[in-house]
């Protein structure tokens, strides 16, 4: 067996038998995570509010022989969480991974930030992850390898003019992750944060002049698959002693 095929074997089996729920899983990074995790052997519940995109994704990946199931889930709705988690319980009796990836963004100077927009953004980017952890915990406790991955951002570490709600929300999510890591460690549930730099997805289509690219040492945005690789690592037993930390995947942005 050469090195390439050995690596392929690891990929094919690392998450075999795992059940993972990915929010914001219909498009962008979430869709890529669903693809990568299922390719590594997981059963993936991809959840989103974009039902057409989600159903199309599940159909596409299903045709590749991957086990990806799409469900409608508004992460801001506790009852919707209860309903999806009940379905996962009925199907598998446990959950091994939760990826809180759903997120929204808007750009407004701090002086003009509307309260309604601020609250709506926090409801998805922060409260959505809290509700997800609360809903999934009973099932995660039944797993031998439970892991939660929260998707924050370099904008949760630095400030960016115009992005007050987004930056504050990603900073809050990073803090939430640390508390969860500490509280859930006795249950052997690991909780980590991914800190992506710029990633090419529909989210940053509005950015002029390449957004963070000029300040990114590697000189480009990430491909979604490069973030998915980090998510897969954190969910896998390769990260069995990794909890409460931030995995920065930013092309060197924060090292400047
Ligand atoms: N694109 C980037 O440059 C970048 C950089 C750093 C972090 N992030 C973060 O990565 C994550 C994924 O974003 P993306 O880049 O794939 O953008 P995206 O807009 O393509 O994907 C976000 C997904 O979240 C879903 N979503 C929004 N509100 C929801 C809700 N209430 N319930 C369920 N799903 C909801 C959207 O429908 C969408 O499918 C987000 O948390 C984002 O903040 C993105």
């Amino acid at each position: 067996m050469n090195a390439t095929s050995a690596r392929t074997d690891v990929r094919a089996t690392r998450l075999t038998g795992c059940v993972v729920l990915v929010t914001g899983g219909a498009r962008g990074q979430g869709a890529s995570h669903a693809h990568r995790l299922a390719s590594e052997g997981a059963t993936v519940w991809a959840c989103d509010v974009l039902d057409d995109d989600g159903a199309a994704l599940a159909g596409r990946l299903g045709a590749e022989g991957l086990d990806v199931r799409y469900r409608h889930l508004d992460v801001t709705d506790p009852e919707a969480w209860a309903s999806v988690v009940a379905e996962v319980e009925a199907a598998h009796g446990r959950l091994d991974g939760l990826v809180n990836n759903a997120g929204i963004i808007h750009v407004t100077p701090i002086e003009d930030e509307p309260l309604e927009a601020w609250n709506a953004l926090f409801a998805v980017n922060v409260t959505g992850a809290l509700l997800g952890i609360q809903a999934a915990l009973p099932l995660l406790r039944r797993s031998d390898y439970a892991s939660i991955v929260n998707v924050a951002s370099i904008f949760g570490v630095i400030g960016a003019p115009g992005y007050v709600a987004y930056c504050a929300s990603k900073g809050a999510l990073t803090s939430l992750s640390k508390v969860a890591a500490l509280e859930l460690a006795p249950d052997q549930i690991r909780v980590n944060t991914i800190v992506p730099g710029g990633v090419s997805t529909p989210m940053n289509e509005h950015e002029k002049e390449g957004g963070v690219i000029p300040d990114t040492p590697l000189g480009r945005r990430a491909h979604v698959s490069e973030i998915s690789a980090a998510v897969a690592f954190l969910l896998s037993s390769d990260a069995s002693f990794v909890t409460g930390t931030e995995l920065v995947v930013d092309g060197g942005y924060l090292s400047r």
Side-chain angles (χ1 to χ4, degrees):
M1 183 183 293
N2 64 32
T4 306
S5 62
R7 195 172 64 231
T8 305
D9 285 345
V10 169
R11 275 202 189 175
T13 58
R14 194 165 59 163
L15 297 174
T16 295
C18 287
V19 181
V20 182
L21 191 156
V22 179
T23 70
R27 73 174 193 195
Q29 294 177 59
S32 170
H33 302 339
H35 188 187
R36 173 68 190 253
L37 301 175
S39 298
E40 293 209 28
T43 294
V44 178
W45 292 70
C47 301
D48 207 303
V49 291
L50 299 177
D51 296 338
D52 289 346
D53 289 354
L57 175 80
R60 238 177 12 252
L61 297 184
E64 287 183 32
L66 303 176
D67 191 352
V68 176
R69 305 158 188 207
Y70 175 74
R71 291 296 181 276
H72 181 91
L73 169 67
D74 178 345
V75 296
T76 68
D77 179 354
E79 287 176 15
W81 270 109
S83 160
V84 169
V85 166
E87 213 181 328
V88 173
E89 180 176 25
H92 312 286
R94 66 169 212 289
L95 183 66
D96 305 295
L98 170 64
V99 183
N100 286 311
N101 164 78
I104 56 174
I105 196 166
H106 62 254
V107 185
T108 317
I110 195 164
E111 200 173 1
D112 303 326
E113 175 71 15
L115 181 59
E116 201 176 310
W118 168 277
N119 285 339
L121 188 145
F122 266 71
V124 176
N125 293 11
V126 187
T127 313
L130 173 74
L131 294 174
I133 292 170
Q134 289 176 331
L137 253 186
L139 294 194
L140 289 167
R141 286 198 172 104
R142 292 188 204 154
S143 165
D144 292 331
Y145 311 100
S147 171
I148 298 170
V149 176
N150 295 320
V151 180
S153 169
I154 50 172
F155 278 14
V157 180
I158 60 151
Y163 290 84
V164 64
Y166 188 76
C167 289
S169 75
K170 293 301 188 181
L173 180 61
T174 303
S175 289
L176 183 158
S177 287
K178 288 186 183 297
V179 175
L182 295 175
E183 289 192 12
L184 304 183
D187 292 322
Q188 301 299 312
I189 299 172
R190 297 181 296 103
V191 187
N192 292 289
T193 306
I194 298 269
V195 180
V199 189
S200 288
T201 70
M203 175 169 280
N204 52 29
E205 276 166 358
H206 69 283
E207 287 180 341
K208 293 186 186 121
E209 295 161 3
V212 298
I213 292 176
D215 296 319
T216 300
L218 288 183
R220 61 177 175 87
R221 289 197 180 100
H223 186 269
V224 286
S225 62
E226 295 174 300
I227 309 302
S228 301
V231 172
F233 164 69
L234 287 175
L235 289 175
S236 79
S237 58
D238 287 344
S240 55
F241 205 54
V242 182
T243 196
T245 196
E246 290 89 51
L247 179 45
V248 178
V249 189
D250 71 346
Y253 184 94
L254 291 177
S255 66
R256 291 166 310 133

